[in-house]
Amino acid sequence: MTVTRSRVVGSGSYLPERCITNAELADRLETSDEWIRSRTGIGQRHVAADGELTSDLATRAARRALDHAEMTTDDIDLVVVATATPDLTFPATAAQVQANLDIHRGCAFDVQAVCTGFVYALAVADNFVQLGQSKGALVIGAETFSRILDWEDRGTCVLFGDGSGAVVLRPEEGDGTAADHGILSTHLHADGRHKDMLYVDGGPSTNQRAGLLRMEGREVFKHAVVNLAQAVDEALEVNGLTGDDVDWLVPHQANRRIIDATARKLGMTEEKIVLTIERHANTSAASIPLALSEATGDGRIKAGDMVLLEAMGGGFTWGSAMVRW
Ligand code: UT7
């Protein structure tokens, strides 16, 4: 049976210049490099410069992804930006990115699923491509979480960083099996009963402010381990695969201990996990495309590799994507 798959034909990323180490944070907060590293795996985080917006980060990653794909903006008819830190309440950050790239056709919109945003955006774009509604899609994860952190709260401010990553999707014919190149499956989940465990205490309709991030870290941690195990299980099952068939696990980078628990569940060793958390910290929707861009750029992920993406974030939201590169 002939099917249309969304093939990932390029990726790119961008990190702001300024980098804050754990030691710098320890100078101004009651924390230590040892605590942050041992509890999370984080060593440093990048932070956007004054006036550097989420759309600026997104645009840089998008340009690099297009160059990598050897495509031009004329080939793009869909721009999806996954972000929880948009430039403005409206219009969508994707509209600004589209303008920055001088694209005047197709459609552009944001997807908001916090740290699961990139997996959600990838699933949405994949559906457009499969239905023939897009011949070239830019899927971007971009965040400036530094703007919504309470820098006095050591329980949250040490965890997050800014950055962006993008992929380009194009339709490619496949035979409907796991041997096809492209996105083989996506699974999305949400359970809004847990919305108060990870949220931002502001918004246009609530108090007309952007607000600051609040989290019950220990509770989020427990749910993440359970939900991500479920997400990877269903991705394997629907494709008739086992952990051994997966060449690379590219997880959302929130906590090294959560990543290790998911890898153990898959029976995967550390060499098969793309890890960026030490250098990037948690960049929310940007973490997976940032990791993808690094691992394709340095030749680890190659054409034909089976790549499993998974993420969990506020809402709660969680999900996975199985992609043959
Ligand atoms: O991307 C979206 C999803 N987000 C996540 O997946 C985050 C999930 N949660 C986590 O990663 C972890 O729960 C944290 C890293 C946030 C916290 O680690 P934990 O092992 O769960 O620590 P805890 O919250 O249970 O806190 C343990 C202790 C507390 O002190 P007491 O009450 O035991 O005296 C905290 O006050 O560590 C203290 N603490 C810190 N100490 C030094 C909390 N933050 C810090 C800090 N430096 N930065």
Side-chain angles (χ1 to χ4, degrees):
M1 183 186 58
T2 304
V3 298
T4 303
R5 300 283 195 190
S6 310
R7 179 139 189 204
V8 182
V9 292
S11 60
S13 59
Y14 172 75
L15 288 162
E17 216 169 88
R18 185 162 167 240
C19 185
I20 301 179
T21 62
N22 291 346
E24 274 179 74
L25 288 180
D27 283 342
R28 39 178 149 115
L29 283 167
E30 211 177 305
T31 188
S32 65
D33 179 53
E34 197 283 327
W35 191 96
I36 302 171
R37 277 183 195 274
S38 62
R39 298 288 177 126
T40 69
I42 295 166
Q44 60 177 39
R45 69 286 296 140
H46 288 258
V47 171
D50 289 345
E52 194 174 30
L53 305 183
T54 296
S55 61
D56 297 322
L57 273 54
T59 303
R60 282 174 182 262
R63 285 194 203 284
R64 289 175 180 173
L66 283 170
D67 285 348
H68 186 226
E70 298 179 0
M71 286 165 65
T72 70
T73 49
D74 290 343
D75 301 314
I76 299 301
D77 55 22
L78 171 65
V79 180
V80 188
V81 175
T83 189
T85 45
D87 291 6
L88 298 168
T89 300
F90 78 77
T93 299
Q96 182 63 56
V97 172
Q98 196 207 30
N100 293 350
L101 294 172
D102 215 16
I103 299 172
H104 310 289
R105 67 196 188 97
C107 63
F109 55 87
D110 290 355
V111 164
Q112 217 285 46
V114 205
C115 298
T116 321
F118 183 75
V119 176
Y120 267 63
L122 196 69
V124 171
D126 177 37
N127 284 327
F128 270 71
V129 172
Q130 284 188 58
L131 288 172
Q133 292 178 339
S134 171
K135 300 285 179 226
L138 259 172
V139 186
I140 307 167
E143 302 278 17
T144 48
F145 261 50
S146 62
R147 307 262 157 76
I148 55 160
L149 293 176
D150 175 351
W151 286 97
E152 315 263 287
D153 176 15
R154 67 177 183 171
T156 53
C157 77
V158 304
L159 304 173
F160 296 92
D162 300 340
S164 62
V167 298
V168 185
L169 303 180
R170 282 196 107 156
E172 186 172 295
E173 301 281 284
D175 62 11
T177 70
D180 293 346
H181 292 276
I183 298 173
L184 301 178
S185 68
T186 57
H187 288 93
L188 304 182
H189 297 277
D191 186 346
R193 285 175 300 177
H194 306 297
K195 64 185 173 22
D196 297 337
M197 288 183 191
L198 176 50
Y199 69 103
V200 168
D201 63 7
S205 150
T206 303
N207 54 14
Q208 300 79 57
R209 290 198 296 265
L212 296 174
L213 184 146
R214 308 292 174 203
M215 177 167 76
E216 288 180 39
R218 209 176 301 187
E219 286 305 311
V220 178
F221 188 102
K222 281 192 238 159
H223 282 268
V225 172
V226 173
N227 291 341
L228 292 172
Q230 178 219 336
V232 299
D233 270 349
E234 65 187 348
L236 292 174
E237 197 185 324
V238 79
N239 291 295
L241 303 172
T242 69
D244 287 345
D245 299 314
V246 178
D247 296 298
W248 294 102
L249 175 67
V250 185
H252 167 52
Q253 316 271 328
N255 186 310
R256 178 67 202 261
R257 290 182 291 144
I258 297 174
I259 295 172
D260 288 345
T262 309
R264 266 198 304 278
K265 169 96 185 135
L266 284 162
M268 288 182 90
T269 51
E270 187 178 329
E271 307 79 68
K272 294 171 86 179
I273 313 170
V274 179
L275 285 168
T276 57
I277 186 162
E278 202 270 334
R279 289 170 291 113
H280 301 171
N282 181 347
T283 57
S284 181
S287 85
I288 290 177
L290 260 163
L292 283 174
S293 165
E294 283 203 0
T296 50
D298 64 20
R300 271 178 290 171
I301 297 180
K302 298 178 292 300
D305 282 354
M306 190 68 83
V307 181
L308 176 54
L309 318 179
E310 46 88 341
M312 144 99 188
F316 290 140
T317 54
W318 67 101
S320 65
M322 189 72 82
V323 187
R324 188 181 290 282
W325 222 254

